[in-house]
Amino acid sequence: MIQFGDARNLPFKDESFNAVITSPPYWGLRTYGHDEKEIGGGSLTTYLQDICTVADEIWRVLRTDGVFWLNIADTASGSGGAGGDYNSGGKQHGRPKWKQGESGLPGMTWCNIPSRVSIMLQDRGWLLRSDITWNKQRLRPESLAHARRPGVQTERIYMFAKHRDHVFYPEGLIEKGNIWSFPPEKKAKSHLAPFPIELPTRCLLCSTQPGDRILDPFIGKGTTIEAAENHGRVGYGLDLYSGDYE
């Protein structure tokens, strides 16, 4: 089931989901449409506040023993978008990139957004149960001569819980450690930031059982729902836009 709306105001009842698995828009990279409520533009402070507001809503709709999986990546200060550390605008797949807002940091430095978000969520009561490195097995396309640093091939996946007695099924783990290796989905014409089905699949197998309800408040083209249905779970999604983005 997919509904359209703002993730900062989830239209669901309290404690109605067993797990939440999501990847919000990354700060200052690209737009997905023209809705003024879209998260990702503006200042870094505004972005962090928006993510925390979403997390507060997730806390409300997640069961006490539920698990919240958050995939989030960093942005370089002064970057013009998804390509590298540069300060111009431009377009991605025919759509404009965000003109990066104020970060308060010098250019050519990473904003350390994943760590900032994890600390802010801990301050709001979330238990950080695992910090997973997603090894995407290939470098992000960019000029390393221009960037003048090692290339990027990882993202973070955080496992949060509301209570120490949260559910967990270790037999569902595909890799037992906190380094998960699988490629990102190939760029799809129907979506600007495709979400690989392997990611929600891994998360749901170790934190839910058949029949459980799973939510993705940034559902995009519906991959989390697909993963849920493939394994006998019930998937729900929310997004500002239609999943075809055409």
Side-chain angles (χ1 to χ4, degrees), residues 195-246:
F195 192 73
I197 196 168
E198 179 76 8
L199 198 158
T201 297
R202 287 180 178 230
C203 295
L204 68 85
L205 286 177
C206 64
S207 60
T208 63
Q209 293 186 326
D212 284 353
R213 292 159 52 100
I214 298 170
L215 171 66
D216 185 345
F218 298 98
I219 193 63
K221 67 174 186 173
T223 306
T224 299
I225 290 180
E226 180 183 356
E229 292 178 346
N230 287 347
H231 295 277
R233 279 69 166 172
V234 182
Y236 290 77
L238 190 79
D239 210 283
L240 284 176
Y241 304 113
S242 168
D244 60 11
Y245 294 92
E246 292 293 313

Side-chain angles (χ1 to χ4, degrees), residues 32-145:
Y32 297 90
H34 306 286
D35 195 307
E36 64 182 11
K37 297 188 292 293
E38 185 178 337
I39 292 174
S43 69
L44 176 57
T45 297
T46 297
Y47 176 77
L48 294 173
Q49 291 173 342
D50 284 339
I51 297 299
C52 285
T53 300
V54 173
D56 290 346
E57 278 290 275
I58 290 172
W59 181 285
R60 180 181 65 79
V61 303
L62 184 67
R63 287 169 48 110
T64 301
D65 62 353
V67 176
F68 167 32
W69 300 90
L70 177 65
N71 165 227
I72 192 166
D74 208 355
T75 301
S77 180
S79 170
D85 302 339
Y86 55 89
N87 201 21
S88 61
K91 292 189 176 184
Q92 180 95 2
H93 299 286
R95 291 184 179 273
K97 300 173 183 176
W98 287 116
K99 183 177 180 181
Q100 192 179 99
E102 176 60 41
S103 70
L105 298 169
M108 302 293 284
T109 188
W110 289 104
C111 297
N112 208 15
I113 291 170
S115 294
R116 291 174 187 266
V117 168
S118 68
I119 292 170
M120 293 176 78
L121 265 57
Q122 285 181 293
D123 289 344
R124 298 171 104 81
W126 287 99
L127 306 180
L128 177 57
R129 299 296 292 120
S130 187
D131 179 351
I132 297 162
T133 297
W134 171 20
N135 174 17
K136 301 169 80 170
Q137 300 179 320
R138 63 173 181 251
L139 293 175
R140 184 179 74 178
E142 61 182 341
S143 168
L144 298 185

